Amino acid sequence: MGLLKSFWMDFTQTMKAKENITMIHFCCVGYFYLLAFSALYCCLFIAFPIIYRHDDDYNWNLFAFFFLFINMIGNQILGTVYNSTYTDGLILNPPPKSWILCMTCQQHCPPRSHHCPVCQKCILKRDHHCYFFMTCVGIQNLRYFLPFSFYVGIGSLYCVKQMLSYLNYSYVTIEFSLSAIFSYFFPGVMYNYLWSGEGNLNFDKLYCILVLYGSVVTGIGGSFYFLSELFISMRGQTIYEFGKDIRKYDFGFLRNIKQVLWPWGILYFLMPLPVPTKEINAPWGTPKFVKGI
């Protein structure tokens, strides 16, 4: 009975952990899509018709918005679809040089692979677990995470600019004064919306202010992730290797970047490209009897 009770408690804790992780995944992805489509609504249907009266300005900003929007959404989808899990389940005897044995998955894995405690799987060239991709960033989807974080940062800051231009024109003039500061911080916003009527604050303007808040936070976060990931990739490292100061896979700046963005390079930053990766000069040997590595 004691053994059965222990098994049941472990099983229950595991299921609760999986439910919590699933909830975090859906919250992060839901936040991303809610903010993205809220920005689409606020820019296209509220801000642009007011702040861009000339057709040329309107058309250029319309093009810029959809370019950023498509790259954000496309890279998020591709980063989720192209996961980097390694599940061959092979115990090799003898294993190839520098391969490691994962005791949890009971399989030999190539170097730079690590077991993810969230995915509960081994990940090829594991960098980190991304809750916005609902999987780990590794060999297959790092080249999608870089443009994704880049366009999240740039797109959010672009949205901040549009929201500020619209609110400056139609709500309260942005200036360094107590009234303006009060009107743009949340207690003041709700006070103006519910009671004072300052700046003729209606639901559309309130919605734009909320999108402005979300875009500021997301823009800072996306820019930080992009710059830090780019720096680590240029050093030929993953986040795990950066923390452990492992530099054995550093082949020089150009070759390091080429490994991540092979075969289309800068084109990954111009459009989402659903092309399976095949790293050049991969730092492990591939036995003939092991496929798919």
Side-chain angles (χ1 to χ4, degrees):
M1 288 294 294
L3 183 62
L4 182 62
K5 184 178 180 181
S6 176
F7 170 79
W8 177 251
M9 290 180 64
D10 290 343
F11 175 77
T12 304
Q13 289 176 356
T14 302
M15 292 305 296
K16 286 182 178 178
K18 287 183 177 179
E19 290 176 1
N20 292 338
I21 291 168
T22 302
M23 182 62 68
I24 295 172
H25 282 155
F26 278 107
C27 286
C28 290
V29 175
Y31 167 79
F32 168 71
Y33 278 100
L34 177 63
L35 182 60
F37 282 95
S38 295
L40 183 148
Y41 172 76
C42 288
C43 285
L44 268 59
F45 299 103
I46 300 177
F48 283 6
I50 299 297
I51 59 180
Y52 298 116
R53 301 302 180 93
H54 298 291
D55 289 344
D56 288 344
D57 293 337
Y58 181 86
N59 291 335
W60 273 113
N61 279 278
L62 195 66
F63 170 78
F65 179 88
F66 275 109
F67 177 78
L68 296 169
F69 185 82
I70 290 170
N71 274 282
M72 281 193 301
I73 300 295
N75 282 294
Q76 192 278 333
I77 294 172
L78 291 174
T80 303
V81 172
Y82 285 89
N83 65 73
S84 305
T85 56
Y86 180 74
T87 55
D88 274 15
L90 295 175
I91 298 291
L92 307 177
N93 188 20
K97 184 180 180 180
S98 74
W99 282 44
I100 56 175
L101 175 63
C102 176
M103 299 302 295
T104 306
C105 296
Q106 286 296 299
Q107 65 178 359
H108 279 105
C109 301
R112 308 187 82 179
S113 302
H114 298 283
H115 185 85
C116 175
V118 180
C119 298
Q120 288 297 313
K121 295 176 182 176
C122 289
I123 309 297
L124 289 169
K125 195 182 175 184
R126 183 178 185 269
D127 190 83
H128 68 281
H129 187 89
C130 178
Y131 288 96
F132 292 98
F133 282 3
M134 298 191 292
T135 187
C136 274
V137 174
I139 188 173
Q140 287 283 3
N141 53 6
L142 177 56
R143 70 224 171 98
Y144 297 125
F145 181 78
L146 280 170
F148 169 73
S149 55
F150 173 77
Y151 282 110
V152 165
I154 296 297
S156 297
L157 297 178
Y158 174 82
C159 186
V160 169
K161 187 260 183 188
Q162 303 303 327
M163 294 300 99
L164 288 177
S165 297
Y166 168 73
L167 293 169
N168 183 62
Y169 179 84
S170 62
Y171 176 45
V172 173
T173 302
I174 299 173
E175 58 186 5
F176 190 73
S177 67
L178 185 61
S179 174
I181 294 173
F182 178 77
S183 296
Y184 279 95
F185 278 88
F186 194 72
V189 170
M190 294 310 299
Y191 176 77
N192 290 341
Y193 181 68
L194 296 174
W195 292 292
S196 78
E198 177 74 20
N200 192 26
L201 183 58
N202 55 25
F203 179 78
D204 282 351
K205 295 175 187 176
L206 176 64
Y207 197 18
C208 288
I209 293 173
L210 294 177
V211 170
L212 173 65
Y213 290 163
S215 298
V216 169
V217 174
T218 307
I220 294 172
S223 300
F224 170 78
Y225 268 110
F226 170 72
L227 292 174
S228 59
E229 196 65 61
L230 181 65
F231 172 74
I232 291 172
S233 297
M234 289 190 301
R235 289 164 56 96
Q237 295 175 302
T238 61
I239 289 179
Y240 173 84
E241 292 163 354
F242 179 77
K244 299 289 186 179
D245 197 27
I246 299 172
R247 299 294 298 272
K248 64 186 292 186
Y249 303 111
D250 185 359
F251 303 113
F253 164 73
L254 290 177
R255 193 166 157 191
N256 293 337
I257 293 297
K258 195 174 182 181
Q259 277 196 335
V260 174
L261 298 177
W262 181 263
W264 296 109
I266 195 66
L267 289 179
Y268 288 114
F269 283 87
L270 298 179
M271 65 186 78
L273 295 171
V275 183
T277 189
K278 191 176 264 190
E279 279 204 11
I280 59 169
N281 302 314
W284 55 72
T286 305
K288 292 180 180 179
F289 51 86
V290 179
K291 298 180 180 180
I293 300 175

